[in-house]
Amino acid sequence: MSWLSSSQGVVLTAYHPSGKDQTVGESHTRGGEEATSSRRYGQYTMNQDTTTKITEKPPFDRSSSQDSLDELSMEDYWIELENIKRSHENRQDNQEVVVVKEPDEGELEEEWLKEAGLSNLFGDSAEDPQESMVFLSTLTRTQAAAVQKRVETVSQTLRKKNKQYHIPDVRDIFTQQRESKEKAPDGTESQSVRTNENKYQGKDDQASTPLGDKELMLPVPEDTPASETDINLEVSFAEQVVNQKEEKTQKSESSDASLPDFRLPKDKTGTTKVGDLAPQDMKKVCHLALIELTALYDVLGVELKQQKAAKIKTKDSGLFGVPLATLLEQDQRKVPGTRIPLIFQKLISQIEEGGLETEGLLRIPGAAIRIKNLCQELEAKFYEGTFNWESVKQHDAASLLKLFIRELPQPLLSVEYLRAFQAVQNLPTKKQQLQALNLLVILLPDANRDTLKALLEFLQRVIDNKEKNKMTVMNVAMVMAPNLFMCHALGLKSNEQREFGMAAGTANIMHLLIKYQKLLWTIPKFIVNQVRKQNTENHKKDRKAMKKLLKKMAYDREKYEKQDKSTNDADVPQGVIRVQAPRLSKVSMAIQLTEELKASDVLARFLSQESGVAQTLKKGEVFLYEIGGNIGERRLDDDTYMKDLYQLNPNAEWVIKVKPL
């Protein structure tokens, strides 16, 4: 499915590089780790050699991948790993080992183009790349360069295989796009949506553009946030790196153990979170996020290619060792609208019912025999509702939760992107690591992303009680990292220095995921604006096609244009929007736009007039939506300034709806 890096397939593994006897002894004092009934396991291979470009330091020397660890000791990590390894060995005879086949470079890049929504650049549809022309016209210079690089690789590979596919040069496509604009009969021109981005004459206009078409690239503002802790979501992350290199302002981070308190500057047009957009726009976001992530890694010199998930036989029912999608299908038959596995939710609630103040929560394992018996009982009785949850101790529930994550046939972070998550540790700065994680979270399948979010929120609640449970963010990261990153790759020997570096790196990534989880589910504004531009260009094409069709059918073109215009403008004066609320008693209201009017103010006006059942609607249950114009559908956050958003999307409709389950 996606695209990550490796020219060979080698297992990623991590053990305590020294003092193994001590670790084993300590783990015995804490009780045996979870054992389970016989199950099949997929063993996914990872390549450490190609993901690490930095010079490795001695095992116990603090390195760049460790500079956010709050203590040098990795004791919790090694103990957790040893417990997992021992329970894994108990099932060795019943394990199905799966070696993930590495495709050749051409196949990798072809798969990447498919994932990026650009499959019609090659193959049977390559003769008509019109659909991709609009998409390509929205790309930044670094994004376009990333696409061009993959297209050229696919082209060379197919030529070697004597395949008669026509692979257009990306530069040719951009040239076609420019020529089609110049020839447009109505004199209109393909331009980006008028946003803050194109108010500036940025460095993109001065820099050399690999595709030779500067006017199609989104300009980069010169006044990027000065604060080192501000995350700029208005400019492509890869473009920011290029501009920093050109200005020679790249700063090396100190080895201070603390992580910065990164923040998102306020955006008057509203912050867009994962889940706020309609599916058709979210699909475009994912295509752009993949291209942007590739561009970011390209400019930072980190190689990423694809690892495809092997097709293995998996259970089609049950709780443990069942694919997330299958599990959710059976859960939704019980509870419609379920987005997080019911067993996962129940295990979390069971842990929390025991109190989050318990010392060593998540670190101290349940007894192995008891865990094995509980697994068997849960498989037989969970959906029947006859399982006795009172028999589940708190540490048992925590062990079962970690076991659930490890036994997923494909990792929670997905086979396709697991290596990209690991490669985050090789990025130079914490800000760039955070930006990469942001894009990776967006790229995860819905079920994986939703389950990961529930897990991280739970882990934060555990950390909130650190004064009593003694589980700091790094303690939790140390315990959880092996379960998310290394559960499918144990038991093989490797270089001790690399093992320690990878252990520190994955614990550091886990730390970042927990600490910055509220930022990671934000869709960068520059990507949303690229989606708006795509929609605008596609609407232009649709309107032209419709007018041509109506003319052929002998309809009055002037009448059609009047009807088209009246859709949004009828009886609405300039500076006034009409808000629809079909489920409320006041179904429609004209609202005067002011500089300070926010989405929350619009909601308040409607809700203040409700009575009866509708009056029970609370903040967080109903939202104002931006629908149509240059967006499919977007849920607005309360702090969205309506006048600014109206100027960005004047043809939108404004609708108040109840938040879906």
Side-chain angles (χ1 to χ4, degrees):
M1 186 174 120
S2 97
W3 49 290
L4 319 174
S5 91
S6 174
S7 58
Q8 50 187 332
V10 185
V11 169
L12 162 67
T13 122
Y15 303 81
H16 200 325
S18 63
K20 187 173 182 180
D21 293 337
Q22 176 187 0
T23 300
V24 175
E26 288 172 347
S27 66
H28 279 302
T29 63
R30 298 192 181 197
E33 176 62 318
E34 44 267 354
T36 65
S37 57
S38 298
R39 298 182 178 88
R40 286 193 179 95
Y41 289 79
Q43 182 168 356
Y44 294 93
T45 63
M46 310 294 292
N47 182 351
Q48 299 171 49
D49 295 323
T50 57
T51 55
T52 304
K53 290 206 168 191
I54 58 175
T55 303
E56 294 178 1
K57 299 182 180 180
F60 294 96
D61 182 26
R62 184 176 293 271
S63 66
S64 61
S65 65
Q66 297 170 261
D67 58 9
S68 66
L69 305 185
D70 57 7
E71 34 182 297
L72 194 58
S73 171
M74 299 281 290
E75 179 186 7
D76 288 340
Y77 184 98
W78 303 120
I79 290 174
E80 180 73 13
L81 193 66
E82 188 63 33
N83 287 331
I84 297 171
K85 179 173 176 284
R86 189 164 48 253
S87 66
H88 179 85
E89 288 171 347
N90 292 336
R91 303 185 299 273
Q92 198 71 26
D93 294 339
N94 301 300
Q95 179 183 356
E96 177 181 326
V97 177
V98 178
V99 178
V100 180
K101 177 183 177 294
E102 292 285 354
D104 63 38
E105 188 175 17
E107 290 174 332
L108 290 173
E109 308 300 22
E110 188 172 326
E111 193 69 28
W112 185 92
L113 287 168
K114 289 179 181 177
E115 282 297 297
L118 293 169
S119 58
N120 58 351
L121 288 183
F122 59 90
D124 297 334
S125 59
E127 296 298 329
D128 183 22
Q130 294 295 321
E131 184 178 341
S132 295
M133 286 170 59
V134 168
F135 180 83
L136 291 169
S137 73
T138 68
L139 302 185
T140 65
R141 59 178 174 177
T142 49
Q143 291 173 348
V147 172
Q148 181 177 338
K149 180 180 177 182
R150 274 79 195 168
V151 169
E152 289 173 350
T153 302
V154 173
S155 179
Q156 292 170 6
T157 303
L158 293 178
R159 287 193 194 103
K160 289 178 183 177
K161 293 181 178 180
N162 295 319
K163 291 192 176 182
Q164 300 303 312
Y165 287 164
H166 171 64
I167 310 292
D169 190 293
V170 182
R171 287 169 291 191
D172 295 338
I173 297 174
F174 275 84
T175 301
Q176 294 173 30
Q177 178 75 12
R178 184 168 62 252
E179 289 173 353
S180 66
K181 291 192 308 178
E182 293 171 354
K183 294 176 181 178
D186 58 359
T188 58
E189 195 173 3
S190 174
Q191 296 178 347
S192 62
V193 182
R194 295 192 178 276
T195 66
N196 289 337
E197 276 89 347
N198 55 19
K199 293 177 184 177
Y200 302 88
Q201 290 295 320
K203 299 192 185 308
D204 261 359
D205 296 324
Q206 303 164 8
S208 60
T209 305
L211 301 182
D213 194 358
K214 294 180 233 179
E215 67 180 12
L216 290 176
M217 304 302 170
L218 295 179
V220 179
E222 291 182 345
D223 58 344
T224 53
S227 172
E228 288 299 311
T229 57
D230 278 358
I231 301 296
N232 185 352
L233 297 182
E234 296 197 5
V235 181
S236 157
F237 300 150
E239 292 292 336
Q240 291 180 44
V241 174
V242 171
N243 290 334
Q244 286 173 344
K245 287 181 177 178
E246 290 172 352
E247 297 171 4
K248 298 181 180 179
T249 59
Q250 188 82 8
K251 296 182 180 180
S252 58
E253 293 186 340
S254 67
S255 58
D256 188 354
S258 62
L259 288 177
D261 289 325
F262 289 119
R263 68 183 185 88
L264 300 179
K266 288 291 184 182
D267 178 5
K268 284 198 164 187
T269 60
T271 301
T272 306
K273 296 282 188 180
V274 171
D276 287 349
L277 295 177
Q280 65 269 27
D281 281 342
M282 191 61 198
K283 186 176 181 180
K284 296 172 186 173
V285 166
C286 289
H287 291 159
L288 289 162
L290 174 56
I291 295 172
E292 175 64 20
L293 182 62
T294 308
L296 179 62
Y297 277 66
D298 280 356
V299 298
L300 290 172
V302 178
E303 185 183 8
L304 286 176
K305 292 182 181 177
Q306 171 183 348
Q307 179 162 302
K308 297 178 68 173
K311 292 183 179 180
I312 59 174
K313 187 176 180 181
T314 57
K315 295 169 60 177
D316 55 9
S317 63
L319 300 175
F320 297 89
V322 181
L324 272 178
T326 302
L327 195 55
L328 285 173
E329 284 179 11
Q330 63 187 26
D331 285 353
Q332 288 165 359
R333 289 194 286 270
K334 298 282 184 181
V335 182
T338 298
R339 298 178 62 89
I340 300 162
L342 295 177
I343 182 64
F344 193 82
Q345 295 182 51
K346 181 59 182 175
L347 288 171
I348 287 177
S349 66
Q350 187 71 15
I351 297 169
E352 293 186 325
E353 284 174 13
L356 296 179
E357 300 85 8
T358 305
E359 187 170 342
L361 188 60
L362 295 177
R363 184 179 63 219
I364 299 175
I369 295 177
R370 194 163 59 242
I371 296 300
K372 178 180 178 180
N373 293 334
L374 287 171
C375 279
Q376 293 173 340
E377 284 190 60
L378 279 167
E379 293 279 11
K381 300 178 180 179
F382 178 72
Y383 285 113
E384 295 178 0
T386 57
F387 181 78
N388 179 20
W389 283 99
E390 293 181 1
S391 65
V392 181
K393 298 181 180 180
Q394 192 180 36
H395 291 303
D396 294 344
S399 290
L400 287 167
L401 182 71
K402 292 186 289 184
L403 181 65
F404 173 87
I405 295 169
R406 291 202 310 274
E407 286 207 359
L408 289 171
Q410 294 189 16
L412 185 59
L413 300 180
S414 80
V415 174
E416 296 81 8
Y417 296 108
L418 185 59
R419 190 180 291 147
F421 273 99
Q422 289 176 323
V424 165
Q425 66 182 301
N426 300 328
L427 303 186
T429 70
K430 286 292 173 286
K431 184 176 288 189
Q432 289 160 2
Q433 291 176 2
L434 181 57
Q435 290 168 337
L437 287 175
N438 180 202
L439 296 169
L440 282 164
V441 165
I442 291 172
L443 285 168
L444 286 175
D446 290 347
N448 298 60
R449 192 195 306 120
D450 292 338
T451 305
L452 176 64
K453 189 172 191 293
L455 174 64
L456 295 178
E457 289 173 346
F458 162 68
L459 296 179
Q460 184 58 56
R461 292 194 292 272
V462 172
I463 294 163
D464 290 341
N465 290 272
K466 62 186 176 184
E467 297 300 326
K468 293 185 178 179
N469 62 31
K470 310 302 181 186
M471 295 298 289
T472 66
V473 63
M474 188 47 65
N475 293 138
V476 172
M478 294 283 190
V479 170
M480 294 306 300
N483 292 281
L484 265 76
F485 285 94
M486 302 180 184
C487 53
H488 294 294
L490 295 170
L492 298 185
K493 294 182 179 180
S494 183
N495 178 279
E496 288 184 355
Q497 192 177 41
R498 191 181 303 121
E499 287 167 357
F500 188 85
M502 187 60 71
T506 54
N508 179 58
I509 295 165
M510 196 72 222
H511 188 176
L512 294 172
L513 286 169
I514 297 170
K515 181 175 177 64
Y516 300 121
Q517 57 184 283
K518 291 184 179 178
L519 305 183
L520 296 178
W521 266 255
T522 303
I523 302 176
K525 183 178 179 180
F526 71 88
I527 289 182
V528 177
N529 285 337
Q530 287 178 296
V531 171
R532 289 184 186 276
K533 182 180 177 183
Q534 287 182 38
N535 291 337
T536 299
E537 295 304 313
N538 285 326
H539 289 163
K540 286 181 182 179
K541 291 180 180 293
D542 292 342
R543 283 197 296 270
K544 287 178 184 177
M546 179 60 71
K547 288 178 181 179
K548 188 174 182 180
L549 177 63
L550 291 173
K551 190 174 182 180
K552 285 183 179 179
M553 298 174 65
Y555 276 98
D556 188 325
R557 183 173 177 177
E558 184 179 348
K559 180 180 179 181
Y560 164 71
E561 289 176 343
K562 284 183 179 180
Q563 290 175 344
D564 186 44
K565 185 177 179 181
S566 66
T567 303
N568 289 307
D569 297 342
D571 303 322
V572 180
Q574 187 70 23
V576 175
I577 59 172
R578 182 164 293 281
V579 181
Q580 309 292 333
R583 292 201 168 187
L584 301 181
S585 56
K586 181 76 173 177
V587 297
S588 180
M589 185 186 298
I591 296 181
Q592 178 70 48
L593 293 172
T594 65
E595 295 292 337
E596 300 302 319
L597 181 72
K598 295 183 181 181
S600 58
D601 301 324
V602 175
L603 285 170
R605 293 191 193 184
F606 275 86
L607 295 178
S608 65
Q609 300 186 34
E610 293 303 304
S611 59
V613 176
Q615 197 172 27
T616 62
L617 292 172
K618 300 176 182 177
K619 182 179 178 181
E621 294 180 356
V622 292
F623 289 87
L624 180 59
Y625 285 77
E626 167 196 6
I627 300 176
N630 54 41
I631 204 77
E633 178 175 300
R634 174 174 172 254
R635 184 167 63 223
L636 305 183
D637 71 65
D638 287 345
D639 290 331
T640 302
Y641 285 82
M642 296 306 298
K643 187 172 182 179
D644 292 84
L645 182 57
Y646 172 78
Q647 291 171 348
L648 178 63
N649 191 6
N651 294 318
E653 295 181 0
W654 314 96
V655 181
I656 292 176
K657 298 195 298 183
V658 177
K659 180 181 179 181
L661 295 175

